Amino acid sequence: MGTDKESRINQIGLTNDLGSIVIRKCTLEDLEGVISVNEKELPEDYPYFFYKSVLDNYNESFLVALNRHHKVVGYIMWRVEKVPADNSLKILNKGHLVSIAILKKWRRIGIATALLNESMKEIKKRRIHEYVLEVRVSNYSAINLYKKFGFFTKNIKYKYYRDGENAYYMIKDARENSEI
Ligand code: ACO
Ligand code: ZN
């Protein structure tokens, strides 16, 4: 059942010695699992209605990774922001990576890579001009991951996080002739 797009996402399979992983679009039933991964792995928590609004508005790029017991072990979510262009009156769409996290024991087997690959294709269909994100300057693993995907640091957002840590504001071109 479902569209071609859904079955394509459903078919992605990764295996390691802990079992097989399925990646698919998030559903309402998955949200509890997503929130649990977020609370374990990231200090930035969001209220339930925030996840729900991302799910309602950007479902195609809100993905989960499930283990063989159908437990959520990772997720990624994006939204689109409309912003004025730097040097014209045009309004541009930016694909904003809101959050990605993988449970510790499922890291380093390519789940984040698979989630990024799939979700970036989906959010790009919203005619975005660039992909953007913020990441803690101390978050070596995530910075490495984003660099691997061609993101670069545009600037530093000072004291971006509640605990006072700075963020790198990283961007990647999403226009037609760029690779992803
Ligand atoms: N050290 C160095 N590089 C790393 C590490 C690490 N511990 N983990 C991942 N990377 C980089 C590497 O380049 C890696 O490629 P390689 O394994 O071939 O060397 C590449 O990322 C891809 O690794 P994946 O296996 O796809 O990544 P993983 O599934 O382990 O997830 C993630 C990476 C999401 C950063 C994970 O470590 C995590 O959940 N961290 C805690 C939550 C977090 O920090 N999220 C990002 C916050 S910023 C935001 O959400 C916008
Ligand atoms: Zn952000």
Side-chain angles (χ1 to χ4, degrees):
M1 282 196 298
T3 62
D4 286 347
K5 188 166 72 190
E6 279 161 354
S7 49
R8 183 168 54 76
I9 289 179
N10 279 329
Q11 275 162 17
I12 300 164
L14 295 164
T15 38
N16 76 340
D17 51 12
L18 294 166
S20 62
I21 291 288
V22 168
I23 287 174
R24 62 158 170 74
K25 284 198 270 183
C26 184
T27 64
L28 198 55
E29 293 70 43
D30 297 322
L31 277 191
E32 213 179 306
V34 167
I35 292 170
S36 153
V37 173
N38 169 274
E39 286 177 353
K40 284 191 186 111
E41 306 302 346
L42 278 171
E44 289 71 48
D45 297 340
Y46 309 98
Y48 181 85
F49 75 79
F50 178 76
Y51 292 93
K52 177 71 167 56
S53 85
V54 177
L55 185 66
D56 289 343
N57 294 299
Y58 306 105
N59 189 13
E60 78 282 6
S61 53
F62 192 157
L63 306 181
V64 287
L66 307 170
N67 70 8
R68 66 176 186 279
H69 307 296
H70 311 288
K71 182 187 165 193
V72 177
V73 299
Y75 69 86
I76 190 166
M77 56 180 180
W78 295 77
R79 59 190 159 91
V80 176
E81 292 167 354
K82 293 193 180 299
V83 285
D86 284 345
N87 41 23
S88 80
L89 294 172
K90 272 201 215 152
I91 299 290
L92 300 176
N93 286 337
K94 294 189 180 196
H96 192 131
L97 175 54
V98 177
S99 186
I100 179 172
I102 314 297
L103 287 179
K104 278 188 195 69
K105 82 172 201 189
W106 294 92
R107 289 192 194 160
R108 221 57 200 270
I109 57 166
I111 296 179
T113 300
L115 289 173
L116 273 164
N117 269 325
E118 283 312 305
S119 61
M120 285 169 81
K121 276 187 230 159
E122 293 303 324
I123 200 74
K124 187 174 172 173
K125 294 177 187 163
R126 302 264 187 156
R127 299 176 184 279
I128 60 165
H129 186 258
E130 58 191 15
Y131 304 97
V132 304
L133 61 88
E134 293 94 9
V135 58
R136 287 177 181 268
V137 298
S138 64
N139 194 345
Y140 177 74
S141 324
I143 294 165
N144 246 352
L145 171 70
Y146 302 140
K147 282 188 179 157
K148 221 166 170 178
F149 272 80
F151 282 83
F152 70 92
T153 300
K154 191 174 183 204
N155 52 260
I156 295 178
K157 293 192 178 183
Y158 290 97
K159 302 200 164 145
Y160 180 77
Y161 297 98
R162 255 179 312 190
D163 60 8
E165 185 165 350
N166 298 339
Y168 288 130
Y169 182 63
M170 299 184 80
I171 69 167
K172 174 182 162 66
D173 198 318
R175 283 166 302 184
E176 281 321 303
N177 50 3
S178 60
E179 336 72 274
I180 283 190

